Amino acid sequence: MDNNQSVCDTMLDVPKSVAPQAQKFTAVFIKLFEHQWKTYEGQKKVSTSYQYILYEFYANSNTHSKMSARKFCVGGNWKMNGDQKSIAEISKTLSGAALDPNTEVVIGCPAIYLMYARNLLPCTVGVAGQNAYKVAKGAFTGEISPAMLKDIGADWVILGHSERRAIFNESDELIAEKAEHALAEGLKVIACIGETLDEREAGKTNEVVARQMCAYAKKVRDWTNVVVAYEPVWAIGTGKTATPEQAQEVHAFLRQWLTDNISKEVSAALRIQYGGSVTAANAKDLAKKPDIDGFLVGGASLKPEFVDIINARQ
């Protein structure tokens, strides 16, 4: 082989849909062995068996590759629960547990305890506000700004949760404005969407989540620091959980919506969590679905079983 010729350049033809990934893989992997290939003067092609391995890896593990590219992300939304004693116990459990290093963990803590929780939780666990307003400061009694969240150590915020929409009548537009400002202030955003039971039974699930995504898309220009959480309202706190197949169906729809309305790149990279009565018992089956990239967990995040949910991909 010519010393100036990379082993990657000598690979036999593979299908166009596979070749770019195979070349990328080869470029990294084969560097470890390039000196061996240089001993073969005049070598012009990688062996057929090696090519076959590459082809099989990428063609037959395409779904796995897509899943692996998006880091699993599990959020725990404590909602209006907890006190210093219980938060200390939860933090002790998480600090002493062997958490999957390939899973990003974020805790949505009540605002009054955010700094307390930040000081007790493992440094590898992110902390999120459960809400934030759309401006930095002003005469907005009772509201909290992204700047305030950052000031006390939070790096995430949960926005658009169904309880904010249903109980506090937050509109799609207001939620999108909140997301826009939070991102501009340097927070990462868990952007929640989801349909009610009536909407699902009326066959409007896709229509509803698309409408909610459209509102975000009008305000979000860079999706790098956004995680979307699909939470069917009928499954939140009810004990009812969408089956893995039902959840995957909506996640796949969202993935296609992103491709059609944002870009293929955003669709491939954006993480979409599932939320709605996630427990240790159902987390592993849900985690196997190719378009489910994590969970936003309610009640179970207050219990020791949250560790098992975090480790659902192991």
Side-chain angles (χ1 to χ4, degrees):
M1 178 183 292
D2 179 31
N3 288 340
N4 294 321
Q5 183 181 25
S6 169
V7 173
C8 299
D9 298 331
T10 69
M11 189 169 63
L12 290 173
D13 290 337
V14 295
K16 291 181 179 179
S17 62
V18 176
Q21 297 97 320
Q23 288 172 354
K24 183 177 180 181
F25 174 82
T26 308
V28 175
F29 182 81
I30 209 65
K31 286 294 182 183
L32 298 173
F33 305 98
E34 189 127 22
H35 67 282
Q36 296 180 19
W37 288 93
K38 288 179 181 179
T39 64
Y40 294 93
E41 293 295 332
Q43 178 90 31
K44 298 299 182 185
K45 296 181 179 179
V46 176
S47 70
T48 302
S49 59
Y50 180 68
Q51 174 208 358
Y52 178 76
I53 291 171
L54 285 177
Y55 177 84
E56 288 296 305
F57 182 84
Y58 285 99
N60 296 336
S61 301
N62 191 42
T63 297
H64 174 74
S65 298
K66 289 180 179 178
M67 291 168 62
S68 300
R70 297 187 296 266
K71 187 171 185 178
F72 209 62
C73 182
V74 175
N77 181 12
W78 291 349
K79 305 188 181 184
M80 197 175 72
N81 292 296
D83 53 27
Q84 292 187 64
K85 180 180 179 181
S86 63
I87 290 172
E89 291 173 353
I90 295 169
S91 298
K92 183 178 179 180
T93 296
L94 293 175
S95 296
L99 304 181
D100 184 353
N102 296 315
T103 294
E104 186 170 11
V105 183
V106 182
I107 297 296
C109 180
I112 196 171
Y113 294 120
L114 273 167
M115 185 178 289
Y116 180 70
R118 175 66 287 167
N119 290 333
L120 292 177
L121 287 167
C123 61
T124 55
V125 173
V127 174
Q130 295 179 9
N131 188 32
Y133 199 50
K134 64 179 182 179
V135 296
K137 58 183 178 180
F140 303 102
T141 302
E143 289 293 337
I144 298 169
S145 72
M148 292 174 178
L149 292 176
K150 286 190 66 179
D151 190 45
I152 60 170
D155 39 12
W156 290 80
V157 64
I158 301 169
L159 296 174
H161 193 280
S162 63
E163 291 155 3
R164 299 301 311 177
R165 295 175 186 269
I167 300 172
F168 300 100
N169 298 314
E170 293 188 3
S171 66
D172 294 345
E173 291 71 26
L174 174 59
I175 292 163
E177 289 171 350
K178 288 182 173 186
E180 179 184 32
H181 180 62
L183 291 167
E185 289 290 297
L187 285 180
K188 300 173 186 176
V189 172
I190 296 177
C192 301
I193 60 173
E195 83 283 11
T196 65
L197 181 59
D198 287 344
E199 289 166 336
R200 169 166 279 272
E201 291 180 342
K204 295 182 177 180
T205 294
N206 290 352
E207 176 186 335
V208 171
V209 297
R211 185 199 75 222
Q212 294 167 339
M213 288 299 298
C214 279
Y216 285 123
K218 289 178 181 178
K219 296 295 183 180
V220 175
R221 294 294 174 264
D222 183 355
W223 294 81
T224 305
N225 290 322
V226 178
V227 172
V228 169
Y230 166 62
E231 296 193 304
V233 181
W234 49 272
I236 298 175
T238 64
K240 298 179 180 179
T241 307
T243 66
E245 292 71 28
Q246 287 175 319
Q248 167 59 24
E249 182 180 7
V250 180
H251 281 239
F253 169 79
L254 290 167
R255 194 78 61 196
Q256 187 61 49
W257 185 93
L258 290 164
T259 297
D260 295 341
N261 294 276
I262 310 297
S263 72
K264 291 181 180 179
E265 291 74 19
V266 169
S267 178
L270 185 69
R271 293 175 290 179
I272 306 175
Q273 297 173 317
Y274 170 77
S277 298
V278 177
T279 66
N282 59 33
K284 282 190 176 294
D285 287 336
L286 287 162
K288 291 176 183 177
K289 296 302 180 181
D291 290 301
I292 296 179
D293 306 312
F295 307 116
L296 185 56
V297 185
S301 68
L302 297 160
K303 304 173 183 177
E305 70 174 294
F306 187 51
V307 172
D308 295 324
I309 297 172
I310 292 170
N311 294 337
R313 274 273 179 92
Q314 284 188 328

